[in-house]
């Protein structure tokens, strides 16, 4: 049985790791390289690096950060931030990254997903979806790294996820905006539905506050991974305690030797 992944997220703005609540009011929480190395050494399964202001500013994540991280961590990591063309993905993957993640730029040009998948394989392309409940529906938002530019894309979450899968995405990261940073648990309803409707891996993101939240999301849904930021940056919950609790609940997980 495939092991479930516990994933740490580095939201990066102006060279620092930041974290907000519901994608707003970002607070500086640490050094990029230092935090990445701590997580790698502490048994995290994967790291994601999001340059949250790259797309709103019309830029691409800086290669220098990828090169720095590649030297100090020994785990898989993915990178997102302003990737708008195949050449961007090629440069980033060549710098030592396992996967690239696209979000706002894929909404603008959905064929970008297919281009990257065809060139590097579906396993190299992740689609991030920033989703917010609207009435009885869930809608996809874009440019969420800058609150002044955040807007609804006009797409429905589940329809866009299915299209991304059809276009070649190897994984979906579902960022539940209502839960982001509030530490009250993952959105079980939305995440469970999405994971059940797709055949590719889904990663839950937004709302982790306790180790039990990881148990709940893995037991209640088919997600392959669960991502958190605040609780790790602020040392509210240790990676080891999460994995030990998962093991006690018979959830397959990689333990630190």
């Amino acid at each position: 049985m495939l092991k479930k992944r516990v994933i740490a997220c580095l939201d990066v703005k102006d060279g620092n790791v930041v974290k907000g609540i519901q994608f707003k009011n970002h607070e500086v929480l640490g050094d990029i390289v230092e935090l990445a190395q701590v997580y790698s050494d502490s048994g995290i399964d994967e790291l994601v690096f999001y340059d949250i202001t790259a797309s709103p500013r019309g830029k691409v994540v800086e290669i220098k950060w990828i090169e720095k991280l590649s030297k100090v961590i020994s785990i898989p990591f993915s990178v997102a931030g302003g990737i708008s063309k195949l050449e961007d993905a090629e440069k980033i993957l060549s710098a030592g990254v396992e996967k690239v993640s696209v979000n706002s730029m894929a909404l603008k040009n959905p064929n970008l997903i297919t281009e990257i998948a065809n060139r590097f394989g579906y396993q190299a392309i992740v689609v991030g979806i920033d989703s917010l409940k609207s009435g009885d529906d869930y809608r996809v938002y874009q440019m969420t790294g800058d609150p002044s530019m955040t807007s609804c894309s006009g797409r429905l979450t589940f329809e866009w996820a299915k299209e991304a899968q059809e276009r070649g995405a190897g994984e979906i990261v579902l960022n539940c905006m209502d839960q982001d940073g509030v530490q009250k648990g993952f959105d079980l309803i939305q995440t469970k539905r999405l994971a059940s409707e797709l055949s590719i891996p889904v990663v839950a993101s937004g709302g982790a506050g306790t180790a039990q939240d990881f148990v709940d999301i893995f037991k209640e849904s088919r997600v392959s991974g669960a991502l958190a930021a605040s609780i790790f940056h602020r040392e509210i919950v240790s990676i080891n305690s999460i994995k030990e609790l998962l093991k006690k609940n018979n959830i397959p997980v990689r333990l630190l030797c």
Side-chain angles (χ1 to χ4, degrees), residues 63-74:
I63 297 296
K64 70 175 184 179
W65 291 115
I66 300 168
E67 294 173 340
K68 287 181 179 180
L69 293 187
S70 296
K71 293 177 181 178
V72 300
I73 67 175
S74 57

PDB file of all heavy atoms in Angstrom, residues 63-74:
ATOM      1  N   ILE A  63      15.415  31.109  -9.738  1.00  0.00           N
ATOM      2  CA  ILE A  63      16.147  29.843  -9.754  1.00  0.00           C
ATOM      3  C   ILE A  63      17.119  29.742  -8.579  1.00  0.00           C
ATOM      4  O   ILE A  63      17.399  28.649  -8.072  1.00  0.00           O
ATOM      5  CB  ILE A  63      16.908  29.676 -11.078  1.00  0.00           C
ATOM      6  CG1 ILE A  63      15.922  29.601 -12.260  1.00  0.00           C
ATOM      7  CG2 ILE A  63      17.787  28.433 -11.050  1.00  0.00           C
ATOM      8  CD1 ILE A  63      15.011  28.407 -12.222  1.00  0.00           C
ATOM      9  N   LYS A  64      17.624  30.875  -8.109  1.00  0.00           N
ATOM     10  CA  LYS A  64      18.630  30.830  -7.038  1.00  0.00           C
ATOM     11  C   LYS A  64      18.095  30.141  -5.790  1.00  0.00           C
ATOM     12  O   LYS A  64      18.854  29.459  -5.081  1.00  0.00           O
ATOM     13  CB  LYS A  64      19.116  32.238  -6.687  1.00  0.00           C
ATOM     14  CG  LYS A  64      18.090  33.122  -5.988  1.00  0.00           C
ATOM     15  CD  LYS A  64      18.690  34.455  -5.571  1.00  0.00           C
ATOM     16  CE  LYS A  64      17.683  35.302  -4.788  1.00  0.00           C
ATOM     17  NZ  LYS A  64      18.260  36.597  -4.351  1.00  0.00           N
ATOM     18  N   TRP A  65      16.810  30.291  -5.511  1.00  0.00           N
ATOM     19  CA  TRP A  65      16.241  29.659  -4.321  1.00  0.00           C
ATOM     20  C   TRP A  65      16.168  28.152  -4.503  1.00  0.00           C
ATOM     21  O   TRP A  65      16.404  27.390  -3.560  1.00  0.00           O
ATOM     22  CB  TRP A  65      14.865  30.235  -4.022  1.00  0.00           C
ATOM     23  CG  TRP A  65      14.912  31.647  -3.554  1.00  0.00           C
ATOM     24  CD1 TRP A  65      14.418  32.762  -4.184  1.00  0.00           C
ATOM     25  CD2 TRP A  65      15.526  32.130  -2.352  1.00  0.00           C
ATOM     26  NE1 TRP A  65      14.680  33.887  -3.451  1.00  0.00           N
ATOM     27  CE2 TRP A  65      15.353  33.532  -2.318  1.00  0.00           C
ATOM     28  CE3 TRP A  65      16.196  31.507  -1.294  1.00  0.00           C
ATOM     29  CZ2 TRP A  65      15.834  34.310  -1.269  1.00  0.00           C
ATOM     30  CZ3 TRP A  65      16.681  32.290  -0.253  1.00  0.00           C
ATOM     31  CH2 TRP A  65      16.499  33.670  -0.250  1.00  0.00           C
ATOM     32  N   ILE A  66      15.835  27.731  -5.698  1.00  0.00           N
ATOM     33  CA  ILE A  66      15.759  26.305  -5.975  1.00  0.00           C
ATOM     34  C   ILE A  66      17.137  25.669  -5.822  1.00  0.00           C
ATOM     35  O   ILE A  66      17.294  24.599  -5.235  1.00  0.00           O
ATOM     36  CB  ILE A  66      15.210  26.073  -7.394  1.00  0.00           C
ATOM     37  CG1 ILE A  66      13.812  26.690  -7.514  1.00  0.00           C
ATOM     38  CG2 ILE A  66      15.178  24.586  -7.724  1.00  0.00           C
ATOM     39  CD1 ILE A  66      13.299  26.785  -8.922  1.00  0.00           C
ATOM     40  N   GLU A  67      18.147  26.328  -6.338  1.00  0.00           N
ATOM     41  CA  GLU A  67      19.511  25.816  -6.238  1.00  0.00           C
ATOM     42  C   GLU A  67      19.964  25.746  -4.790  1.00  0.00           C
ATOM     43  O   GLU A  67      20.651  24.791  -4.389  1.00  0.00           O
ATOM     44  CB  GLU A  67      20.444  26.690  -7.070  1.00  0.00           C
ATOM     45  CG  GLU A  67      20.160  26.602  -8.570  1.00  0.00           C
ATOM     46  CD  GLU A  67      20.961  27.595  -9.391  1.00  0.00           C
ATOM     47  OE1 GLU A  67      21.439  28.602  -8.803  1.00  0.00           O
ATOM     48  OE2 GLU A  67      21.101  27.381 -10.610  1.00  0.00           O
ATOM     49  N   LYS A  68      19.596  26.751  -3.988  1.00  0.00           N
ATOM     50  CA  LYS A  68      19.971  26.751  -2.574  1.00  0.00           C
ATOM     51  C   LYS A  68      19.291  25.600  -1.829  1.00  0.00           C
ATOM     52  O   LYS A  68      19.928  24.909  -1.019  1.00  0.00           O
ATOM     53  CB  LYS A  68      19.595  28.087  -1.923  1.00  0.00           C
ATOM     54  CG  LYS A  68      20.489  29.246  -2.323  1.00  0.00           C
ATOM     55  CD  LYS A  68      20.062  30.524  -1.620  1.00  0.00           C
ATOM     56  CE  LYS A  68      20.968  31.694  -1.998  1.00  0.00           C
ATOM     57  NZ  LYS A  68      20.567  32.953  -1.307  1.00  0.00           N
ATOM     58  N   LEU A  69      18.016  25.388  -2.095  1.00  0.00           N
ATOM     59  CA  LEU A  69      17.296  24.315  -1.415  1.00  0.00           C
ATOM     60  C   LEU A  69      17.818  22.945  -1.827  1.00  0.00           C
ATOM     61  O   LEU A  69      17.926  22.041  -0.999  1.00  0.00           O
ATOM     62  CB  LEU A  69      15.794  24.410  -1.719  1.00  0.00           C
ATOM     63  CG  LEU A  69      15.046  25.617  -1.162  1.00  0.00           C
ATOM     64  CD1 LEU A  69      13.548  25.472  -1.409  1.00  0.00           C
ATOM     65  CD2 LEU A  69      15.303  25.793   0.330  1.00  0.00           C
ATOM     66  N   SER A  70      18.141  22.803  -3.078  1.00  0.00           N
ATOM     67  CA  SER A  70      18.639  21.515  -3.577  1.00  0.00           C
ATOM     68  C   SER A  70      19.902  21.074  -2.853  1.00  0.00           C
ATOM     69  O   SER A  70      20.191  19.873  -2.748  1.00  0.00           O
ATOM     70  CB  SER A  70      18.917  21.601  -5.081  1.00  0.00           C
ATOM     71  OG  SER A  70      17.737  21.845  -5.804  1.00  0.00           O
ATOM     72  N   LYS A  71      20.664  22.031  -2.340  1.00  0.00           N
ATOM     73  CA  LYS A  71      21.920  21.726  -1.667  1.00  0.00           C
ATOM     74  C   LYS A  71      21.728  21.286  -0.217  1.00  0.00           C
ATOM     75  O   LYS A  71      22.622  20.646   0.358  1.00  0.00           O
ATOM     76  CB  LYS A  71      22.845  22.938  -1.703  1.00  0.00           C
ATOM     77  CG  LYS A  71      23.342  23.300  -3.104  1.00  0.00           C
ATOM     78  CD  LYS A  71      24.192  24.557  -3.067  1.00  0.00           C
ATOM     79  CE  LYS A  71      24.674  24.944  -4.460  1.00  0.00           C
ATOM     80  NZ  LYS A  71      25.472  26.202  -4.444  1.00  0.00           N
ATOM     81  N   VAL A  72      20.580  21.612   0.391  1.00  0.00           N
ATOM     82  CA  VAL A  72      20.436  21.349   1.829  1.00  0.00           C
ATOM     83  C   VAL A  72      19.333  20.368   2.185  1.00  0.00           C
ATOM     84  O   VAL A  72      19.220  19.961   3.337  1.00  0.00           O
ATOM     85  CB  VAL A  72      20.194  22.664   2.614  1.00  0.00           C
ATOM     86  CG1 VAL A  72      21.352  23.621   2.413  1.00  0.00           C
ATOM     87  CG2 VAL A  72      18.875  23.323   2.212  1.00  0.00           C
ATOM     88  N   ILE A  73      18.502  19.963   1.225  1.00  0.00           N
ATOM     89  CA  ILE A  73      17.440  19.013   1.545  1.00  0.00           C
ATOM     90  C   ILE A  73      17.614  17.732   0.749  1.00  0.00           C
ATOM     91  O   ILE A  73      18.224  17.715  -0.319  1.00  0.00           O
ATOM     92  CB  ILE A  73      16.034  19.601   1.306  1.00  0.00           C
ATOM     93  CG1 ILE A  73      15.777  19.851  -0.184  1.00  0.00           C
ATOM     94  CG2 ILE A  73      15.850  20.882   2.105  1.00  0.00           C
ATOM     95  CD1 ILE A  73      14.355  20.325  -0.474  1.00  0.00           C
ATOM     96  N   SER A  74      17.065  16.659   1.281  1.00  0.00           N
ATOM     97  CA  SER A  74      17.208  15.346   0.647  1.00  0.00           C
ATOM     98  C   SER A  74      15.857  14.709   0.380  1.00  0.00           C
ATOM     99  O   SER A  74      15.725  13.484   0.348  1.00  0.00           O
ATOM    100  CB  SER A  74      18.050  14.434   1.542  1.00  0.00           C
ATOM    101  OG  SER A  74      17.455  14.324   2.833  1.00  0.00           O
TER     102      SER A  74
END
